[in-house]
Amino acid sequence: MKLSHFQFNLPTELLAEYPAENRDESRLMVIDRAKKTIEHKTFKDIINYFDDGDVMIMNNTKVFPARLYGNKEKTGARIEVFLLRELNAEQRLWDVLVDPARKIRIGNKLYFGDDDSLVAEVIDNTTSRGRTLRFLYDGSYDEFRNKLTELGETPIPKYITREVTPEDEERYQTIYAKVEGAVAAPTAGLHFSRHLMKRLEIKGVDFAEVTLHVGLGTFNPVEVEDLSKHKMDSEELIITQEACDIVNNAITQKKRICCVGTTSMRAIESSVSSARTMNPFEGWTNKFIYPPYDFSIANCMITNFHTPKSTLLMMISAFCGHDLMKKAYEEAIKEKYKFYSYGDAMLII
């Protein structure tokens, strides 16, 4: 398939600026691949589709406050610094994006905080907006990380043009987030409330946690018509033996195995054995899933509604079937479902 197969007109008013009032009361579209049917529900109705022994695979990555604002030495120009990944803890080296980039050159220093208590020096250019920074801070490593957290801001997506609120600190994070390292939330999981998870647990649903630290590369635009030429950024992935045991037991028992989100799907499809079971994994993945694709583990998935030409939409097309996915998205636009990070959800069975 080609990039142009994933273009559609998305009205800007359908991009969700705010989360639903309650996590589990966002809207839910249910797509049955076998029956080719589309139903309209509320997210908490999801409990009706799962039974004892079924498994939900969830990405327990935790978003860290990755967006900082500093001032350039001498000129005092305000510069946004988006922390992508730590390159060297001992030397406090970070891979970052800067904006505006044209003002930031090797050797420049940036000052953060009202008291300039944190300083960073630009030591390399990586891409047009990418830089390597060395942070200069007198305290211990833990104190340094605490300082980044103190000065950082929840990195809600750029399409949300309003100011970040205290509500975003809570709502742009899943309730089961544990392992810090993501710069974007695994948004399908944002719909789960503690009450809903408890009800699923009482019903006998098992939860298998994987960790895939979502990077900004997930949202990079695809700029080639031939999808086989697109390269995904690598993201850190950890799959434990415990998670494998839960999932592989469900495979044996022929239970429903549901991936919560595209990041969970990329995680498990990055570590499949020749017997089509899940293997433990610790490393990096740049897995790109687009049609046609033969999925090995999950037989259903929960996801949000994605933007045109995105790699996330391509994965959904591969899982759902392209024609059914197009029909579902046409219906979503007609019914005014909310799209993207704070948007509504879809269950594909």
Side-chain angles (χ1 to χ4, degrees):
M1 298 196 82
K2 304 293 185 185
L3 177 62
S4 50
H5 289 127
F6 300 93
Q7 171 62 357
F8 63 93
N9 292 321
L10 176 60
T12 54
E13 66 266 22
L14 297 186
L15 291 170
E17 285 271 330
Y18 293 91
E21 189 173 342
N22 298 306
R23 286 181 184 266
D24 58 13
E25 290 180 357
S26 55
R27 298 168 74 189
L28 176 71
M29 179 183 283
V30 181
I31 300 175
D32 188 314
R33 292 179 293 172
K35 296 177 183 173
K36 302 283 193 287
T37 56
I38 296 172
E39 293 181 288
H40 304 288
K41 304 283 185 180
T42 300
F43 191 80
K44 59 188 176 186
D45 296 331
I46 212 157
I47 194 165
N48 300 323
Y49 296 88
F50 295 91
D51 290 308
D52 185 36
D54 290 342
V55 171
M56 287 187 170
I57 302 171
M58 312 178 110
N59 184 4
N60 68 9
T61 188
K62 188 174 185 179
V63 179
F64 67 92
R67 188 174 280 128
L68 302 171
Y69 292 96
N71 296 102
K72 188 181 173 188
E73 63 177 337
K74 295 178 184 171
T75 68
R78 188 172 191 250
I79 306 295
E80 178 188 311
V81 173
F82 196 103
L83 303 173
L84 293 177
R85 62 176 65 89
E86 187 174 51
L87 300 175
N88 185 307
E90 190 177 330
Q91 296 183 39
R92 298 177 187 174
L93 296 182
W94 279 78
D95 187 12
V96 308
L97 296 177
V98 293
D99 187 24
R102 59 189 163 73
K103 296 184 175 182
I104 303 303
R105 298 183 174 85
I106 293 172
N108 287 161
K109 286 184 178 171
L110 300 171
Y111 294 84
F112 302 90
D114 293 337
D115 56 355
D116 295 340
S117 55
L118 182 64
V119 182
E121 182 180 5
V122 181
I123 64 168
D124 198 9
N125 296 329
T126 52
T127 64
S128 59
R129 287 183 55 215
R131 302 290 185 271
T132 302
L133 297 188
R134 175 185 286 116
F135 283 96
L136 311 171
Y137 187 74
D138 289 337
S140 67
Y141 178 74
D142 286 344
E143 289 170 334
F144 164 64
R145 288 304 299 253
N146 288 339
K147 179 59 74 171
L148 287 183
T149 300
E150 174 196 325
L151 296 174
E153 180 180 281
T154 300
I156 59 174
K158 281 283 194 182
Y159 82 87
I160 297 175
T161 54
R162 60 175 173 78
E163 291 292 310
V164 176
T165 69
E167 183 190 30
D168 291 313
E169 292 180 27
E170 181 209 347
R171 294 298 300 274
Y172 196 63
Q173 197 84 268
T174 64
I175 60 166
Y176 48 82
K178 290 178 185 168
V179 187
E180 192 171 83
V183 299
T187 53
L190 299 180
H191 303 284
F192 285 86
S193 65
R194 296 190 192 285
H195 180 65
L196 178 57
M197 287 193 72
K198 178 54 72 175
R199 289 178 66 207
L200 287 162
E201 191 181 313
I202 290 168
K203 201 169 182 183
V205 175
D206 290 321
F207 302 104
E209 294 186 1
V210 298
T211 305
L212 185 127
H213 291 316
V214 189
L216 284 184
T218 296
F219 308 111
N220 280 351
V222 180
E223 295 175 335
V224 287
E225 182 68 8
D226 181 354
L227 300 185
S228 67
K229 302 272 196 305
H230 178 69
K231 296 289 183 285
M232 296 283 283
D233 283 3
S234 290
E235 294 169 320
E236 191 174 6
L237 169 62
I238 303 160
I239 299 176
T240 63
Q241 184 64 57
E242 180 186 4
C244 293
D245 291 344
I246 293 169
V247 171
N248 293 338
N249 180 58
I251 293 172
T252 304
Q253 302 295 322
K254 295 185 165 47
K255 295 293 185 179
R256 182 161 276 177
I257 300 169
C258 181
C259 254
V260 178
T262 56
T263 62
S264 298
M265 186 69 84
R266 285 184 59 232
I268 65 172
E269 287 294 324
S270 297
S271 188
V272 178
S273 74
S274 56
R276 295 171 77 87
T277 57
M278 199 163 91
N279 282 337
F281 187 95
E282 189 161 351
W284 296 76
T285 179
N286 62 352
K287 185 87 171 172
F288 177 28
I289 298 174
Y290 59 94
Y293 186 86
D294 182 22
F295 291 85
S296 299
I297 306 288
N299 48 34
C300 70
M301 77 178 295
I302 297 166
T303 186
N304 280 22
F305 289 90
H306 306 296
T307 49
K309 294 185 175 179
S310 62
T311 59
L312 312 175
L313 182 64
M314 292 164 193
M315 181 193 292
I316 302 312
S317 170
F319 191 79
C320 183
H322 192 71
D323 290 343
L324 186 54
M325 183 274 293
K326 278 186 69 177
K327 181 183 170 188
Y329 269 59
E330 286 165 7
E331 181 92 352
I333 291 169
K334 187 179 88 173
E335 296 294 329
K336 295 189 165 28
Y337 276 72
K338 289 293 188 179
F339 278 64
Y340 218 43
S341 300
Y342 276 150
D344 294 313
M346 173 188 284
L347 170 66
I348 308 169
I349 57 176

